[in-house]
């Protein structure tokens, strides 16, 4: 599921979008939840990429077996990669299969240039070659290998990031969330358990209500929160505060004011991390200072 930090990120994104292009709240809220749902599409798309790597390996083995002149490696191919227990669990996962069946655009073509080039890079790499030489099979070894493979060749692959950004505009901002979801999916798998449940986007109605309320409160109290922000600026005019910094601060002030049961330090830390994603290098220091002062002035625990 999306954690509260990721929900806060989506609220910040949509508040920022609103102040660049104001639209009706109902439309803005609908767009926010639609963008959250698109993260799940990206998540499935990345899982499908891992499965497609396995399919491509199997396909190349079949091509090798049909050659008229075959090498020993083609007659008896090393099946360690296609027998990887993590890949098999992902391949057989019913939720992935069902969702992909409903959204066929998320299925990878085995002739896709990015898929083929990534597979070639993987198989040429030392980690893959060492893994294929290891004797025996271990669930832990399979899990560790796929985790590192995903990180190196998908999460940190600039070509992959560019590719998905061209396919869906919002994915460029959400790739770090989806990467985390895939890593958790791999890491949480158990050898003795079927892989039946993937990560949900919004856990329950409480999380959905949190997102809606935070978005509404931030927009409704924008001017009042700007005044609270302005009062705590020292030797600095409100007009000089960048829009993204202002959005992060007004959203966090709205949460501090309207969600009293969440500790202030938790809220501050969350928005400092969000600033590291969306704002400038020094924004997190600035935001921390303003919010810390605001909490002290309000006796906010």
């Amino acid at each position: 599921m999306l954690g509260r930090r990721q929900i806060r990120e989506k609220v910040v994104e949509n508040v920022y979008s609103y102040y660049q292009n104001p639209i009706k709240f109902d439309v803005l809220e609908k767009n926010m939840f639609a963008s959250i749902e698109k993260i799940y599409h990206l998540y499935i798309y990345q899982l499908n990429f891992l499965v497609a790597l396995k399919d491509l390996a199997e396909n190349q083995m079949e091509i090798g077996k049909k050659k008229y002149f075959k090498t020993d490696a083609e007659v008896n191919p090393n099946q360690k990669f296609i027998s990887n227990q993590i890949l098999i669990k992902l391949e057989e996962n019913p939720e992935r299969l069902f969702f992909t069946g409903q959204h066929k655009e998320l299925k990878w073509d085995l002739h896709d240039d990015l898929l083929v080039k990534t597979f070639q890079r993987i198989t040429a790499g030392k980690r893959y070659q060492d893994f294929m030489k290891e004797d025996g099979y271990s669930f832990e070894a399979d899990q560790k290998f796929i985790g590192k493979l995903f990180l190196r060749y998908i999460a940190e692959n600039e070509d992959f990031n560019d590719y998905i950004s061209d396919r869906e505009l919002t994915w460029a901002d959400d790739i770090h969330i989806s990467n985390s979801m895939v890593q958790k999916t791999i890491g949480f798998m158990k050898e003795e358990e079927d892989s039946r449940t993937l990560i949900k986007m919004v856990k329950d109605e409480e999380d959905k209500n949190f997102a809606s309320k935070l978005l509404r409160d931030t927009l409704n109290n924008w001017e009042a929160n700007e005044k609270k922000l302005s009062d705590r600026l020292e030797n600095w005019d409100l007009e000089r505060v960048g829009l993204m910094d202002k959005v992060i601060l007004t959203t966090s002030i709205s949460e501090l004011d309207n969600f009293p049961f969440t500790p202030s330090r938790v809220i501050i830390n969350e928005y400092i991390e969000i600033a590291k994603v969306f704002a400038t290098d020094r924004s997190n220091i600035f935001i921390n200072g303003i919010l810390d002062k605001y909490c002290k002035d309000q006796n906010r625990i």
Side-chain angles (χ1 to χ4, degrees):
M1 71 203 79
L2 279 190
R4 284 292 172 98
R5 179 181 301 168
Q6 286 76 36
I7 292 174
R8 291 178 177 102
E9 279 189 24
K10 300 309 293 183
V11 172
V12 165
E13 281 183 11
N14 281 271
V15 173
Y16 182 82
S17 172
Y18 175 83
Y19 279 97
Q20 288 189 312
N21 180 31
I23 56 178
K24 290 182 178 179
F25 176 82
D26 290 348
V27 176
L28 183 68
E29 182 184 49
K30 182 179 178 181
N31 290 346
M32 179 177 71
F33 284 113
S35 69
I36 288 174
E37 182 60 30
K38 285 179 182 178
I39 301 174
Y40 190 79
H41 287 236
L42 175 55
Y43 168 56
I44 295 295
Y45 198 47
Q46 288 184 296
L47 294 179
N48 286 347
F49 191 84
L50 289 170
V51 173
L53 290 171
K54 177 180 180 296
D55 292 341
L56 183 59
E58 291 177 318
N59 184 62
Q60 293 199 354
M61 286 182 186
E62 290 303 313
I63 292 173
K65 289 178 181 179
K66 292 177 182 178
K67 287 182 179 179
Y68 188 78
F69 295 105
K70 296 181 279 289
T71 65
D72 290 341
E74 289 170 334
V75 174
N76 297 297
N78 186 336
Q79 300 193 23
K80 192 172 177 65
F81 180 70
I82 66 170
S83 299
N84 185 285
Q85 296 171 76
I86 300 299
L87 293 181
I88 291 173
K89 283 182 178 291
L90 289 176
E91 183 179 42
E92 296 175 349
N93 183 278
E95 292 183 30
R96 184 196 67 82
L97 288 167
F98 177 78
F99 197 82
T100 303
Q102 299 242 313
H103 301 274
K104 291 183 169 53
E105 72 278 7
L106 300 179
K107 185 176 175 63
W108 288 83
D109 186 325
L110 294 189
H111 299 290
D112 184 277
D113 190 54
L114 176 64
L115 179 70
V116 173
K117 286 184 177 179
T118 302
F119 181 74
Q120 291 171 343
R121 287 182 58 205
I122 291 170
T123 55
K126 184 176 185 302
R127 178 173 288 120
Y128 175 88
Q129 294 176 9
D130 289 345
F131 175 77
M132 297 296 281
K133 292 175 184 177
E134 292 174 0
D135 294 329
Y137 293 84
S138 156
F139 185 85
E140 290 75 17
D142 283 358
Q143 191 172 41
K144 183 177 180 180
F145 173 72
I146 295 301
K148 290 185 175 180
L149 180 147
F150 171 77
L151 187 64
R152 174 69 178 86
Y153 295 100
I154 301 177
E156 297 177 352
N157 185 344
E158 290 186 7
D159 290 339
F160 187 90
N161 290 341
D162 291 341
Y163 184 93
I164 60 100
S165 298
D166 290 338
R167 288 215 44 181
E168 177 60 55
L169 188 62
T170 62
W171 282 356
D173 292 327
D174 297 330
I175 184 69
H176 66 288
I177 299 175
S178 182
N179 285 340
S180 176
M181 291 168 66
V182 174
Q183 288 176 298
K184 287 178 181 178
T185 300
I186 294 169
F188 289 163
M189 285 183 178
K190 304 293 182 186
E191 182 174 8
E192 65 279 3
E193 296 177 6
D194 291 338
S195 175
R196 292 193 171 275
T197 304
L198 300 182
I199 296 174
K200 301 293 188 295
M201 294 315 304
V202 178
K203 180 176 65 174
D204 51 30
E205 200 65 24
E206 183 181 345
D207 276 350
K208 188 173 182 180
N209 290 339
F210 170 78
S212 294
K213 178 173 170 53
L214 182 58
L215 180 65
R216 187 181 296 274
D217 288 345
T218 301
L219 294 178
N220 287 345
N221 297 298
W222 179 267
E223 291 183 3
N225 289 341
E226 272 195 324
K227 178 67 167 57
K228 294 172 186 176
L229 169 58
S230 180
D231 289 344
R232 287 159 182 85
L233 292 174
E234 296 180 2
N235 303 317
W236 198 263
D237 294 327
L238 184 63
E239 290 72 21
R240 296 178 64 191
V241 178
L243 178 58
M244 180 54 78
D245 285 357
K246 193 184 296 184
V247 167
I248 293 171
L249 282 163
T250 52
T251 306
S252 54
I253 290 172
S254 286
E255 186 170 353
L256 287 165
D257 288 348
N258 297 290
F259 294 85
F261 297 111
T262 306
S264 62
R265 183 40 58 184
V266 170
I267 294 174
I268 293 173
N269 287 342
E270 291 283 81
Y271 286 97
I272 288 172
E273 293 303 315
I274 290 171
K276 292 177 182 177
V277 175
F278 292 126
T280 63
D281 292 340
R282 294 187 59 82
S283 290
N284 58 313
I285 300 171
F286 170 64
I287 288 167
N288 182 39
I290 295 293
L291 294 181
D292 188 60
K293 182 174 178 56
Y294 181 73
C295 288
K296 289 177 179 176
D297 291 345
Q298 301 297 114
N299 292 318
R300 176 65 158 86
I301 299 175

